[in-house]
Amino acid sequence: MTPLITPEKREAIVRRAAEAMCAMTEPVLFELDPVLAVGLVGQLQIAFRHPANTGETRERLEQFVRDLIERLDPAHGDLHALLMMGFDARYDAPEGADFQSEQVSER
């Protein structure tokens, strides 16, 4: 296992990474197939539930997810309804649920 870096080294990495990110002028573009896009939505919705996940980045990402859901199902059909359930904790899977048997095949 790789040893942890010192707090000073970590801070230096964070500072340089932030400087590099702020220096970028071109948007980051990517493509997702619908299955991967749905998976991304679900993973981010789980991350939104973390109590310490607050602030501007979280708010901007939640809007990104809501926009992505809109693009996946602009007619607000069943896919839209299903994905919006991910924002409501009442629809969370029960603890201990086994998702290994529930696989969606790729096209």
Side-chain angles (χ1 to χ4, degrees), residues 47-101:
F48 296 151
R49 299 284 173 75
H50 193 285
N53 187 359
T54 61
E56 183 182 355
T57 301
R58 185 216 182 276
E59 292 169 8
R60 292 177 69 182
L61 279 171
E62 183 173 335
Q63 188 57 56
F64 168 81
V65 168
R66 290 179 183 278
D67 293 345
L68 182 55
I69 291 170
E70 187 66 28
R71 289 191 67 186
L72 285 164
D73 189 358
H76 291 209
D78 289 338
L79 181 57
H80 186 276
L82 175 68
L83 294 175
M84 292 305 290
M85 287 180 200
F87 290 111
D88 188 334
R90 295 175 297 173
Y91 294 107
D92 283 359
E95 195 165 324
D98 176 19
F99 296 104
Q100 297 303 316
S101 60

